[in-house]
Each structure stands twice: as structure tokens, then as C-alpha cells.
Amino acid sequence: MTFKELGIIEPILKALAAEGYTKPTPIQEQSIPILLKGKDLLGCAQTGTGKTAAFSIPIIQQLVLDREADGQQRKIRTLVVTPTRELAIQIGENFTSYARHTGIRNTVIFGGVKQGRQTDALKRGVDVLIATPGRLLDLMNQGFISLKDIKYAVLDEADQMLDMGFIHDIKKIIAKLPNNRQSLFFSATMPKAIVELSRKLLGDFEQVTIKPQQATAEKVEQAIYFVAKKNKPKLLTHLLEKDPNDSTLVFSRTKHGANKIVKQLAKADIKAEAIHGNKSQNARQKSLGDFKNGDLKVLIATDIAARGIDVEDLSLVINYDLPNVPETYVHRIGRTGRASASGIAVSFCDAEERPYLKSIQKLINQQVPTITDHPFVDDGLEEVPLQPEKKHGNHKQRPRTGHSNPRGGKNNNRGRNTNHRPKRD
Ligand code: AMP
């Protein structure tokens, strides 16, 4: 299947060729025909699958065809709502790339910065508005934005928006959308609250599901380092010193933890910067920009700040802490191995994180290999089996893999299950 066979028009094909996209990803192949027919879509998928192009390409195409049909003047006809500033910016960049030869214009609005440049762009006129919920409502209340002409509405990363406490904002936004519209709803997971929210947005819809394990977990080379908590900084330094020219994204569960890692690395003369919710938007953009263009080799991020980070040539993802929500693991490792590329993701696991590893392996239905040839192995710990152990019967002990990955534990059962909701960043 090619984009041409999906019925994509020439100016967009030209832009996709320039991007180096040779064929549609599975979510694009499935979603584009549904969207070009004008149907609503419920997409169970996450970033890293080619989701952005799956919705932006058919929207741009329909905007071009609408304009040809009725020669309408420029007004906001598409709204994309997404949880974080970084993701909003990235979606905006994708729209700009794919619409390069069409004259379809977009702008991005988000909080944490002054609104002047955003309202100036709105006054100049746009076809596509990409927004985070808070700033969108704010500018709507100030009269800078009206949603009355929206024909295409996209709610992106809905589960993340719920986790971040945006549910009321989202409901207010949906209430302002005109009835005669095409709606798209994307979420990586589909708990009950998300299904209920999707019903508020969608009419008669079709569903496309791209499972996380299909999307990323299978093509990312993964490994676990069992390590005592106190030795994590040393292990991180050890790994980063091995390949100092590689771009490495390190995940920390907390903002405070991210800052601490930066300080610890500085002591070893490794330059790193942190991005999280307590950093100003400008500082976040600067660090991310430096990381993307290769000036900064090590970026430490919390999950919410890292949403949507798309860095070409990202060599390695390191989970300094294992996430307590297993889907987050799939999001994190999806930062490497984007679309058609393969990547490496390694995770540190201390005794307390063992239950998290169990849930992760269950979700991705894979046993993550263990690396034992490193100086900080937490001795006496055993590999976490994928299947729960049977109480009776003659089941065999799983062998330790001693896997020797390009970047190179064992665990025990002392972990306490401290499962709780992710913190708002
Ligand atoms: P997304 O899931 O939208 O965050 O996209 C993940 C990455 O895949 C981005 O870097 C896109 O530029 C890239 N991508 C999207 N569609 C394709 C495609 N058909 N072929 C190759 N790369 C793609």
C-alpha cells in the first residue's frame, strides 16, 4: 500500500516524499480511508505509531478540497487539542511539513508563555489550531478564538489529559464545538472514563487499534539492569561514559529526581539538562532544541514533559526509574525506535521496582532480558518471570539470560506494591 493508493493528493504526496515516508504505517493505512470518507474515528494508539500523520494528512486534504469547493476565506476549521506544549509544537511542525505545498496554515497555542505572539498569529488567520486545553479556554474566554467554524476536531492523548486533570476543560471545549463536524479521538489506553469521554465527542464512529506491543515494544531492543537504588547514579555515569557521543534520553519519575540526576552527572563532568513542569517553557524549549540538534547529548525528563518528544537519531532511552503505570513504559521506550527505526531502551530496576517490572512484562507480553555484565549488579536478585509462578507443580526455574546488550541483574521479591496514580507534572 502506498499513500497514492490511499488517494492522497499530489501536493501532500510531494511533501511526504520530502519527509522520506515511503509507505504508510499501519495506523495510517487503516485510518486515512475512514477519515477521507468523513467518518468519526476512535483511535487506540499512541505517539510513535505515526498517529499524527494519520490524522493530519486526511485533514489537510479535506481542507484543501473544501477550499477548492467553496473558496472559503481562512478561518479556524480544524482544532487539535493535546495535553502538553511539546506535543502541541510537534503536531504543529508536522502539519507545517505535510501542508507545505497546500497553503493550509496552522498555529500552535499553549500556556506558560505570553499570549501576544499567539494572538497575533490568530489575527493573521489560520486553518488549523493546535492547542493545550488551558490556554485554549483562556483565549476563547477573551474572545480571540471562536470554535463555530470547526469542521474537524481532534482530541489527542485523551488518557494523558485525564491524568493531568483536564477533564472539565475538555468537556467545556467539546460543548462549544458545532454539531456538524468530523471528530477524531485518540488515546493509548481505553479505561472506562475515556470511553465515556469519547462518547461525548464522537458520533457514528469507526475504531482503529494499534496495540503498544505491535507499535513499539517489539522493535525496541530492551534490557534490564538490576541495581541497588544507591548505585543508580554510578551505573548511569558508567553507561553514559561508554558512548559519550550518543544522544540519550533519561527518564525520571519525579521533577526533583530529574534535577538530582543532572547534579550527579555534573560531578562526573557529564553535561545534562532536565525538562519538567517546574522549568519555564523557554528553558524547556531551549533544552529540547539543543538535544534535538545534538548540542546537548543527555536530556533528563519526566514523563509529562517528555510526551511527544520526537528526536531523530535518539540512540538510547534509559529508564532511571521504572514507571508505576505500565503503559508509561511503552510510551517511554517509544521515544526511540520511532516509526520504522529500531532503538535501544534500558531500565534500572531496584528491589522496590520489581512489581512494576512484572506489570510491564505482562502488558508487553515479553520477558525483558537482564544484563549481568556490569559493575553494579545487585547480587542475590533473580530475574522476574513473565508468568506468575505456580504454587505447585514441577515448573522449571527460568534461566538467567546474562544477555549482553550493546549497553550492558537480577532481582528479588522484596518489592512492595506501591502502585499509585501518576503525579501531575
Ligand atoms: P507520531 O506517532 O505521530 O509521533 O510519529 C512518529 C514518527 O514517525 C515521527 O517522527 C514521524 O515523522 C514518523 N513517521 C510518521 N509516518 C511515517 C511514515 N509513513 N514513514 C516513516 N516515518 C513516519
Side-chain angles (χ1 to χ4, degrees):
M1 183 64 78
T2 61
F3 283 107
K4 195 170 183 165
E5 284 162 347
L6 287 174
I8 302 302
I9 54 176
E10 203 51 49
I12 302 179
L13 288 178
K14 203 167 136 193
L16 296 178
E19 289 296 305
Y21 297 2
T22 48
K23 63 182 178 62
T25 65
I27 190 167
Q28 292 161 7
E29 204 170 308
Q30 292 177 50
S31 307
I32 290 174
I34 296 170
L35 294 172
L36 288 180
K37 270 191 276 170
K39 292 214 84 170
D40 286 2
L41 179 77
L42 175 65
C44 188
Q46 60 185 41
T47 50
T49 54
K51 171 169 64 91
T52 317
F55 67 76
S56 49
I57 292 169
I59 287 177
I60 295 164
Q61 174 142 338
Q62 294 189 94
L63 289 172
V64 171
L65 300 178
D66 291 349
R67 188 183 56 196
E68 281 172 7
D70 59 18
Q72 279 179 4
Q73 66 183 83
R74 210 183 285 283
K75 47 194 172 194
I76 306 171
R77 284 181 289 156
T78 298
L79 174 68
V80 181
V81 184
T82 192
T84 67
R85 309 152 195 188
E86 283 78 7
L87 198 49
I89 290 168
Q90 207 156 275
I91 294 171
E93 286 170 355
N94 285 11
F95 263 98
T96 302
S97 302
Y98 310 145
R100 191 178 295 148
H101 306 295
T102 65
I104 298 295
R105 250 197 254 155
N106 76 78
T107 199
V108 179
I109 62 168
F110 46 78
V113 290
K114 290 192 181 133
Q115 68 179 45
R117 282 168 72 167
Q118 298 176 0
T119 51
D120 287 349
L122 288 166
K123 282 180 204 155
R124 284 194 296 273
V126 293
D127 307 282
V128 179
L129 177 64
I130 300 128
T132 54
R135 179 58 60 93
L136 174 61
L137 279 173
D138 189 3
L139 295 187
M140 281 165 65
N141 291 338
Q142 292 181 53
F144 286 107
I145 296 170
S146 157
L147 302 185
K148 72 175 176 27
D149 297 307
I150 297 292
K151 273 192 81 180
Y152 310 100
V154 184
L155 205 62
D156 191 29
E157 306 266 342
D159 49 356
Q160 183 74 3
M161 294 215 239
L162 246 61
D163 283 345
M164 291 171 74
F166 285 137
I167 181 80
H168 297 297
D169 288 355
I170 296 298
K171 284 183 181 165
K172 279 186 209 158
I173 294 164
I174 293 177
K176 295 278 181 203
L177 291 170
N179 289 334
N180 187 16
R181 61 166 198 262
Q182 187 177 10
S183 303
L184 289 68
F185 185 100
F186 289 96
S187 188
T189 53
M190 287 288 163
K192 216 169 130 212
I194 290 291
V195 174
E196 276 166 19
L197 184 63
S198 74
R199 292 212 183 99
K200 289 199 191 307
L201 184 76
L202 301 171
D204 183 20
F205 67 88
E206 288 193 26
Q207 183 167 348
V208 167
T209 300
I210 304 292
K211 287 193 191 135
Q213 58 265 42
Q214 273 171 278
T216 47
E218 276 174 11
K219 65 180 184 213
V220 175
E221 193 174 337
Q222 303 162 67
I224 292 281
Y225 288 79
F226 289 113
V227 57
K229 197 173 192 163
K230 67 174 185 346
N231 284 331
K232 283 187 177 184
K234 288 184 205 151
L235 178 57
L236 182 64
T237 308
H238 170 75
L239 294 182
L240 294 175
E241 280 174 344
K242 264 196 205 170
D243 299 289
N245 291 321
D246 284 357
S247 294
T248 305
L249 177 61
V250 180
F251 280 98
S252 158
R253 206 179 308 138
T254 64
K255 293 177 266 201
H256 173 68
N259 292 341
K260 212 162 131 189
I261 296 170
V262 171
K263 283 191 194 140
Q264 283 159 342
L265 291 177
K267 282 186 201 152
D269 277 336
I270 297 174
K271 182 174 162 40
E273 287 176 16
I275 58 167
H276 52 65
N278 285 359
K279 297 268 178 182
S280 73
Q281 180 58 22
N282 286 343
R284 282 162 74 165
Q285 282 312 116
K286 167 93 176 60
S287 299
L288 193 55
D290 288 349
F291 187 59
K292 282 188 178 189
N293 68 27
D295 289 344
L296 175 70
K297 292 296 178 194
V298 183
L299 186 68
I300 322 290
T302 55
D303 288 300
I304 287 171
R307 260 296 152 135
I309 290 183
D310 184 16
V311 182
E312 274 177 44
D313 304 325
L314 176 58
S315 325
L316 177 65
V317 165
I318 297 180
N319 293 311
Y320 188 87
D321 303 304
L322 272 184
N324 47 14
V325 176
E327 285 81 5
T328 302
Y329 174 83
V330 182
H331 280 295
R332 288 182 177 187
I333 69 168
R335 301 303 99 208
T336 183
R338 312 285 286 165
S340 53
S342 61
I344 299 174
V346 303
S347 305
F348 296 177
C349 180
D350 65 32
E352 291 199 357
E353 292 170 312
R354 188 186 163 95
Y356 305 158
L357 179 59
K358 252 190 182 158
S359 317
I360 288 164
Q361 294 192 145
K362 200 166 151 222
L363 175 77
I364 62 174
N365 198 24
Q366 280 178 46
Q367 175 111 32
V368 182
T370 305
I371 291 183
T372 49
D373 59 347
H374 68 93
F376 307 104
V377 177
D378 199 358
D379 272 329
L381 303 178
E382 281 175 11
E383 193 170 82
V384 177
L386 178 58
Q387 300 299 337
E389 285 175 27
K390 288 181 193 137
K391 280 196 177 129
H392 303 289
N394 57 350
H395 74 278
K396 288 187 187 130
Q397 180 86 25
R398 276 178 183 274
R400 288 180 188 171
T401 56
H403 189 273
S404 177
N405 188 280
R407 330 256 164 170
K410 313 162 201 172
N411 209 328
N412 75 1
N413 245 330
R414 278 175 281 142
R416 291 189 304 271
N417 193 345
T418 50
N419 242 344
H420 49 77
R421 306 281 299 161
K423 287 202 187 95
R424 189 171 168 152
D425 191 29

